[in-house]
Amino acid sequence: MNGSAPLIVIVDGANVVGSVPDGWWRDRRGAAERLRDRLAADGTPGLCGPVEIVLVVEGAARGVDSVPGVRVEAAPGSGDDRIVELVAGAGDRPVLVVTADRELRRRVTELGAEVAGPRTVRPA
């Protein structure tokens, strides 16, 4: 891994938002915007050094804009597939994928990414 490149933290927006039953299903885009804003304000607690945060959204959450500190990637189809593409395209940069999705975790670890659960960025 390249020691000088910042860690890329890729957040599975649908999975993290869906990890807490707080009514997110009534306003998926609003829930994604709240997660984005929390990531921009709080970053990734417990991670040292520079990080690049990428929030992947899909479906009804498409259209959420990037803000300083958080790049939003709208998946044209499956959010999981877009996350795998981002991991594959990271080259030798270190990558942490935040999701609880077992199949996605398997796919990205095969590409060399580390994984963490939703509580990494969203306390339950």
Side-chain angles (χ1 to χ4, degrees), residues 1-119:
M1 287 189 198
N2 184 342
S4 63
L7 172 68
I8 302 171
V9 178
I10 302 172
V11 179
D12 180 351
N15 188 266
V16 171
V17 165
S19 69
V20 178
D22 61 0
W24 59 265
W25 52 89
R26 290 188 293 267
D27 180 11
R28 293 169 194 255
R29 183 173 174 168
E33 288 171 341
R34 288 188 296 278
L35 174 58
R36 176 205 59 200
D37 294 348
R38 188 168 38 256
L39 290 167
D42 300 339
T44 50
L47 296 179
C48 299
V51 298
E52 176 186 347
I53 301 174
V54 180
L55 174 63
V56 176
V57 297
E58 63 186 0
R62 283 189 205 107
V64 172
D65 294 324
S66 296
V67 296
V70 179
R71 185 175 94 226
V72 178
E73 287 274 337
S78 160
D80 290 2
D81 290 345
R82 182 65 186 130
I83 290 168
V84 170
E85 289 171 2
L86 290 168
V87 171
D92 64 350
R93 289 185 62 188
V95 179
L96 173 67
V97 175
V98 179
T99 187
D101 181 303
R102 287 185 184 157
E103 177 61 15
L104 178 58
R105 291 168 79 100
R106 182 194 63 77
R107 291 173 69 190
V108 299
T109 56
E110 286 178 354
L111 295 172
E114 298 290 324
V115 294
R119 288 184 181 169

